[in-house]
Every structure is written in C-alpha cells, then in structure tokens.
C-alpha cells in the first residue's frame, strides 16, 4: 500500500513514516520544503507539497492509496497568527482533497486535536461531544475537519478525522519542533536543568498518549474501512487520565531506573482551594472495534530521555 504523509518531517508524520516502512508500506514524505531523503528513513520517497498549486498536489497524489494529513500549525503558532492558522490547518486540506479525489486516492485521514472539544478538557468526552473551544488552534482544525467530513459524506472519498489527545514521545530527528509539548519539555529539563519545573501546581488532568500508540492507531485507521458516517470521527488517546504532577512522577521514576538519579520536581503551591475536574477521554470507535493500545508509557519515556541525553547533555550531565 502506498501512503502519502503530509507534514512527513513533523512530530507525528516522521514517526508514522518509520512505523509504516517497518510494516511494509510504501511511504511518501510530503514537506513544503524539498528535502533530500532523510537518514532517519532512507526507504521513503520525499515529495514537495506546494499548497498553492493544485497541479503539484495532484502529481504527488498519483498512485497513492491513502493520504494522512499531518501538516499544520501548532497551538502557539495559531495564537500568533490566527488567520494563517485557518489557511494552513483548514483551507490547505480542501485543495488536497480535490487533488486526492482527482487521482483516485481511496482514503484521507486528517489528524486533528482533542482540544477542539473544550479548554480545558474536563468531564466525559467522546466522539459525540460538542466542540466549543474558541481557541484558533481548535477552530482552524474544525475548518479542516469539515472539509474532510463533507467530502466523505458526499461519497467522494473515504474520510476520517482523528482527534488526538496529549501526545508525547521521541522525535524521529532533532529538527522536529516538539519541545513545546509538556512531557517532551519536562524530559529535556531533566538533562538541561537536572530537575522538573512545572508552571502550575500540576493538578490539571490530562489524557497523555505515547507516540507509538498514536502511530499504531493511525495505521489501524489506514487499513480499516469506515462503515458509516458516524464513524468518520475517531478519538485517539490512552483513555487513562492522570494529573500533570503524576506524569512528572513517572518521568522521575524513569530517571531513577536509567541513571540512579531522582530529579527534584519544582511546582507552584496551591494558593486557594481549587480542584480540577476529572477527565474521561473516551474512544468509542476504537473500543467498539476491540482495538487494543500497547500502553507503553515507560518505554516511550525512557526512549525520550535517552534522546534528550544525546542531544542536550552538553549543558549539564546526568549523574547522581
């Protein structure tokens, strides 16, 4: 099977490409800049995604079975330039869909975010929950979702929207911009500061999910037929929420296992009686299919810590 991944050099796209190549797929890594074949995935083909050219997008869709759209602006970039976020996260997918349909692509998977539901994410959330978050990151992704769902509901292409929760994990290469993510940044702090610094008391609930589990779930969506319109939206998470502080404790424990070193956790004190609501991020579609996650937090965290040790240990070495 031939799979085009837009944003193929990004956080999810590059790791997904590695998994698909490992499992026997032909992979095209799409990028706005034309790169050479990367050393972290030499078996892949690199193609340029010129979002202003339908002809260019049609060319790279030729012979492709499935498109995974992993390209987009992150939350901070969306705040900095909401208008651009609407174009990049929303309108670009419209042109891609037209090109994919023209070239007979069977399926398109749009990687969206769990944060379209609300801010903060609290309570029980499933694929039928309302999307009320006014943040530009959320609204721009909803625009992209609508384009995919409309094309799918009209029978033009099989379209799936994957709403991914708080992902963490090892990037495929050092150029990936993934250090704004909470868990990734905390792991980097272990190396650069020898401690974990939380900007809050750490009592917020999050549904953290490892990059390996995210990529495995996307692969499952690649090969699984969408039977009804109600199955066009798929939540991807761990389904096991924990507080930010509890995640910091897991990182701390991994450091002790790896190096015999227990970094301190600096966090703000609770100045008033405030309790964050619980979070139950449900994955109705995947659960109905009896899909099973690996739930490999410890393995992913240790890989991430080793990655940080390699690339960030020039500042402070990790030792007892």
């Amino acid at each position: 099977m031939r799979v085009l991944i837009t944003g193929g050099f990004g956080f999810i796209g590059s790791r997904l490409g590695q998994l698909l190549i490992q499992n026997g797929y032909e992979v095209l890594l799409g990028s706005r800049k034309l790169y050479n074949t990367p050393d972290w995935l030499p078996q892949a083909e690199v193609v340029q995604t010129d979002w202003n050219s339908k002809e260019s997008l049609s060319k790279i869709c030729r012979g492709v079975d499935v498109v995974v759209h992993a390209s987009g602006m992150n939350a901070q970039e969306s705040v900095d330039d909401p208008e651009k976020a609407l174009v990049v996260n929303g309108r670009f997918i419209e042109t891609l869909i037209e090109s994919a349909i023209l070239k007979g692509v069977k399926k398109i998977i749009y990687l969206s975010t769990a944060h379209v539901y609300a801010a903060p994410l609290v309570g029980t959330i499933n694929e039928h929950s309302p999307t009320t978050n006014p943040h530009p990151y959320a609204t721009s992704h909803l625009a992209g979702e609508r384009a995919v769902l409309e094309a799918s509901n009209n029978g033009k292409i099989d379209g799936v929207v994957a709403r991914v929760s708080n992902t963490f994990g090892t990037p495929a290469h050092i150029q990936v911009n993934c250090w704004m993510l909470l868990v990734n940044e905390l792991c980097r702090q272990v190396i650069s500061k020898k401690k974990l610094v939380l900007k809050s008391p750490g009592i917020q609930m999050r549904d953290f999910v490892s990059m390996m589990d995210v990529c495995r779930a996307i692969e499952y969506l690649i090969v699984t037929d969408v039977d009804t319109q109600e199955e066009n939206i798929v939540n991807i998470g761990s389904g096991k929420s924990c507080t930010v502080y509890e995640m910091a404790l897991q990182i701390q424990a991994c450091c002790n296992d790896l190096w015999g070193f227990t970094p301190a956790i600096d966090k703000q004190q609770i100045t008033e009686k405030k309790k964050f609501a619980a979070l139950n991020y449900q994955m109705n579609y995947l659960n109905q299919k009896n899909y099973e996650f690996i739930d490999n937090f410890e393995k992913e965290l240790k890989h991430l810590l080793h990655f940080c040790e390699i690339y960030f240990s020039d500042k402070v070495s990790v030792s007892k």
Side-chain angles (χ1 to χ4, degrees):
M1 183 179 291
R2 191 168 170 85
V3 180
L4 166 64
I5 306 173
T6 64
F9 284 72
F11 185 42
I12 295 180
S14 55
R15 281 286 300 270
L16 176 63
Q18 289 179 325
L19 176 67
L20 295 183
I21 286 289
Q22 177 184 325
N23 291 343
Y25 295 78
E26 293 182 55
V27 172
L28 285 74
L29 299 175
S31 172
R32 276 175 273 187
K33 296 180 180 179
L34 185 57
Y35 293 102
N36 294 324
T37 302
D39 56 6
W40 46 267
L41 197 59
Q43 307 93 328
E45 178 183 348
V46 178
V47 296
Q48 187 171 16
T49 49
D50 183 352
W51 296 106
N52 296 313
S53 171
K54 291 183 180 180
E55 180 180 357
S56 174
L57 294 178
S58 296
K59 182 179 179 180
I60 65 175
C61 285
R62 186 182 301 136
V64 168
D65 298 297
V66 177
V67 173
V68 179
H69 186 59
S71 175
M73 292 170 59
N74 63 37
Q76 186 57 54
E77 292 169 339
S78 299
V79 171
D80 294 340
D81 195 339
E83 292 185 3
K84 184 178 179 180
L86 184 59
V87 172
V88 174
N89 294 343
R91 294 176 188 167
F92 278 176
I93 188 67
E94 297 176 5
T95 308
L96 181 60
I97 290 170
E98 292 178 12
S99 300
I101 293 172
L102 180 65
K103 294 302 178 181
V105 174
K106 300 173 184 177
K107 179 184 291 186
I108 187 163
I109 299 173
Y110 179 79
L111 300 190
S112 186
T113 170
H115 298 286
V116 298
Y117 290 114
L121 289 172
V122 294
T124 298
I125 295 175
N126 57 46
E127 288 90 340
H128 299 288
S129 298
T131 54
T132 60
N133 189 356
H135 193 286
Y137 181 62
T139 55
S140 59
H141 272 93
L142 284 174
E145 288 187 11
R146 285 192 290 270
V148 173
L149 297 176
E150 181 179 358
S152 184
N153 292 340
N154 289 335
K156 296 180 179 180
I157 193 171
D158 286 341
V160 179
V161 169
R163 293 174 175 167
V164 184
S165 66
N166 293 82
T167 311
F168 70 92
T170 310
H173 56 99
I174 189 58
Q175 287 78 26
V176 173
N177 181 21
C178 62
W179 307 107
M180 82 298 293
L181 301 173
L182 175 66
V183 176
N184 282 42
E185 173 57 21
L186 289 177
C187 288
R188 182 167 70 166
Q189 287 179 11
V190 167
I191 306 301
S192 63
K193 299 181 180 180
K194 296 187 70 175
K195 62 181 179 180
L196 304 166
V197 181
L198 304 183
K199 297 179 181 180
S200 70
I203 60 176
Q204 310 96 311
M205 298 293 293
R206 296 286 186 271
D207 180 276
F208 294 106
V209 58
S210 74
M211 178 60 73
M212 178 54 70
D213 265 336
V214 169
C215 292
R216 287 182 64 252
I218 294 170
E219 182 191 8
Y220 179 80
L221 296 178
I222 288 173
V223 299
T224 303
D225 291 333
V226 176
D227 300 324
T228 69
Q229 291 183 1
E230 292 185 355
E231 295 178 343
N232 290 111
I233 298 176
V234 179
N235 284 351
I236 297 178
S238 68
K240 300 178 180 179
S241 300
C242 68
T243 66
V244 169
Y245 180 65
E246 287 170 338
M247 174 53 77
L249 289 174
Q250 291 189 56
I251 297 172
Q252 187 185 62
C254 287
C255 291
N256 187 60
D257 287 345
L258 291 171
W259 302 304
F261 160 63
T262 304
I265 300 176
D266 289 353
K267 61 185 181 70
Q268 295 181 1
Q269 298 298 315
I270 301 176
T271 57
E272 58 184 26
K273 291 184 179 180
K274 186 176 182 181
K275 183 178 181 180
F276 282 81
L279 171 62
N280 179 19
Y281 191 69
Q282 298 180 342
M283 295 162 286
N284 289 352
Y285 174 81
L286 292 174
N287 289 337
Q288 289 168 4
K289 297 291 185 179
N290 295 316
Y291 179 82
E292 294 185 2
F293 286 86
I294 297 176
D295 192 21
N296 57 341
F297 273 35
E298 181 178 341
K299 183 177 181 180
E300 189 78 58
L301 285 173
K302 288 182 177 179
H303 281 174
L304 178 56
L305 286 165
H306 275 305
F307 182 93
C308 292
E309 182 184 26
I310 292 170
Y311 288 100
F312 304 117
S313 61
D314 57 327
K315 295 182 180 180
V316 180
S317 61
V318 176
S319 60
K320 293 183 181 180

